[in-house]
Amino acid sequence: MVRVVYPLIMTTATRKKEEEIEFEGDLSSLIDLLCERYPQLKKVLYNKDGFNRFINIYVNNEDVRNLDGFETRLKVGDTVKFIPAIAGG
Amino acid sequence: MLMLRCIVCGDVKEDAPVYVCDECFGPLEVIYDWERIKEIASKEKIEKGVKSLWRYKDFLPVKGEPVDLGAGFTRFIHAKNLGEIVGLRNLYLIDDSTNPTYSFKDRVVSVAVTKALEFKMKALGCASTGNLAGSLAAHAAKVKLPAYIFVPAGIERVKLVQAAIHGAKIIEVEGSYDHANRMATELAEKNPEWGFVNINLRPYYVEGSKTLAYEAIERLGWESPDQLIVPMASGALLTSIHRGFLDFIEVDFTSELPIFNGAQPEGFPIVRAVKEGGEVEPVREFNTIVHSLAIGNPANGYSAREIIKRTGGYAEDPSDAEVVEAVKLLARSEGIFTELAGGTVIASLIRLVESGRIDRNERVVAYLTGNGLKTADVFVEEISELERVSRYEEVIAW
């Protein structure tokens, strides 16, 4: 199982703050699965330039851009968090 | 009437402690009723106002009485000595080391804490590398709210003394500032009644920095300078100063937008994007003594890069050694001891003049955002070998 944690503004689409998902594959496939499950998510996660740059994704508290990006392999017990990028400074 | 607007999709929201658009995740900015501001604001009214950032209250997003520890309207210095050394006739410095907690953060915190009171929030918080911690803790003490401050593990204790003295709860987070910031962001999600000044109050917080633009214009006789040098960490300061210039152009208090130049330590993403022309890609590993500018994943990096590009500016990333020398140069030519972020600005200024990007006759404003005593540890070696005497005759003999 992979644990997925959503920020408040994604819960309009997901109707839940987090969930455990039976999943095997990379981050990109997980996002495809989530968009299939929650069709409203697609317009939040993607825009005309591709993946929304105002969303940061973390796997086990590490920014995926420091891992293998969307090709980051997910394994049982991993936690994936979507966090708004606009904070700090 | 105050509202918030998404800078990406343009969706408008009500005045509330939110910072991200629920349609597209874009950052929110405050929008003002410009017709009303044009009716109530005037240069004369500002000139007769209080000697703090609140002389510009008509341009700030608050309704009631501001929380004012006296931040802003700091020293504006025609730096003739430094100008002569670097080759500029009209170099001006805005010196925010004289703010109540000795950095520009008092400007943003003053606005954010005023909003926190408006929203009846129960606690205050932030992620910080030091300057914001001290400022937030002081303002929280003044308004009698608890303050929770998240700092990167291993941060020098001297940087936290201010916050501790004011009674804030300081929490160390494993990793860098970016880790502390992420944890604070998650907590802000869980505790919407807590005002995290640089997270859920961020649209208001950043407005405080606009006053650095207003002051440059007012102090130059209601004219814009030709070029600016602005330190960059998240890029929020540069984007806010840009908004400040646009505000005063909107109400006809000035007519020109200056050229924006950014200053960041070596190896950081915004400068890299400006110099290499690519996207602002976060960096995970970095090593600099300029901790107050050490943000590897800058929230406003994209906007800052766009403003620099659009206004015809550039960005520089001096080495730590250049920064240290620049702090000394400023201290020994103008009598101003600035923190390392200020050294980064002066070192960048030197590079920009040497490369011909700034002309000798242009009016240049450089922003010094904090006091040198905050990073004095770097300079302790300057006094490692002192002359010791027991009689005054020994001194005369020199």
Side-chain angles (χ1 to χ4, degrees), chain A residues 1-6 16-23 30 33-34 37-38 76-79:
Chain A
M1 299 285 257
V2 171
R3 180 173 164 241
V4 186
V5 181
Y6 306 106
K16 57 187 74 139
K17 287 179 180 171
E18 63 176 86
E19 64 184 315
E20 301 265 345
I21 296 179
E22 194 80 56
F23 176 80
L30 175 71
L33 175 75
L34 295 176
R37 195 176 277 190
Y38 311 111
V76 174
D78 281 349
T79 296

Side-chain angles (χ1 to χ4, degrees), chain B residues 11-253:
Chain B
D11 201 43
V12 174
K13 332 271 176 192
E14 63 180 32
D15 182 30
V18 290
Y19 68 112
V20 176
C21 175
D22 50 8
E23 295 293 321
C24 72
F25 264 80
L28 303 178
E29 64 179 6
V30 179
I31 48 174
Y32 296 88
D33 180 347
W34 286 108
E35 290 315 309
R36 182 166 180 277
I37 291 174
K38 283 174 189 169
E39 276 172 25
I40 60 172
S42 71
K43 293 177 190 174
E44 295 72 28
K45 185 177 169 188
I46 291 171
E47 286 166 352
K48 287 180 191 156
V50 291
K51 294 205 180 315
S52 78
L53 79 152
W54 294 105
R55 67 201 278 110
Y56 308 109
K57 189 175 176 227
D58 292 336
F59 297 85
L60 294 170
V62 303
K63 291 168 187 158
E65 197 57 33
V67 179
D68 186 6
L69 297 190
F73 208 61
T74 51
R75 295 196 301 169
F76 185 80
I77 299 150
H78 187 180
K80 291 180 183 169
N81 294 346
L82 180 64
E84 201 176 304
I85 294 166
V86 303
L88 288 175
R89 287 204 175 92
N90 297 300
L91 172 62
Y92 298 88
L93 306 172
I94 288 191
D95 178 19
D96 260 14
S97 70
T98 53
N99 269 324
T101 71
Y102 315 108
S103 86
F104 85 104
K105 291 293 186 184
D106 288 328
R107 295 175 187 266
V108 284
V109 171
S110 185
V111 175
V113 172
T114 301
K115 291 305 283 187
L117 293 188
E118 275 182 28
F119 295 136
K120 301 190 184 332
M121 294 177 127
K122 295 193 165 76
L124 298 166
C126 69
S128 174
T129 54
N131 279 340
L132 179 56
S135 181
L136 180 70
H139 284 81
K142 184 71 177 173
V143 300
K144 301 177 184 170
L145 282 177
Y148 298 89
I149 290 162
F150 296 82
V151 298
I155 186 171
E156 298 92 326
R157 290 298 182 264
V158 70
K159 293 197 167 154
L160 303 177
V161 168
Q162 253 187 314
I165 291 294
H166 292 303
K169 172 79 177 159
I170 302 168
I171 302 114
E172 274 194 311
V173 178
E174 289 293 343
S176 67
Y177 170 82
D178 296 303
H179 292 88
N181 187 42
R182 183 173 52 72
M183 185 174 287
T185 306
E186 289 182 80
L187 264 165
E189 288 267 328
K190 303 267 183 216
N191 293 293
E193 291 185 329
W194 288 17
F196 281 83
V197 291
N198 53 353
I199 301 171
N200 54 0
L201 291 170
R202 200 169 192 270
Y204 307 102
Y205 166 89
V206 295
E207 293 292 281
S209 292
K210 295 192 311 183
T211 58
L212 283 160
Y214 302 160
E215 284 177 29
I217 294 164
E218 184 184 352
R219 302 306 258 287
L220 286 171
W222 302 102
E223 286 182 9
S224 297
D226 299 304
Q227 300 219 28
L228 304 177
I229 324 281
V230 184
M232 301 188 295
S234 70
L237 177 62
L238 189 142
T239 53
S240 295
I241 290 174
H242 181 253
R243 265 170 72 81
F245 276 95
L246 294 180
D247 287 355
F248 271 17
I249 289 170
E250 173 76 36
V251 296
D252 220 12
F253 286 2

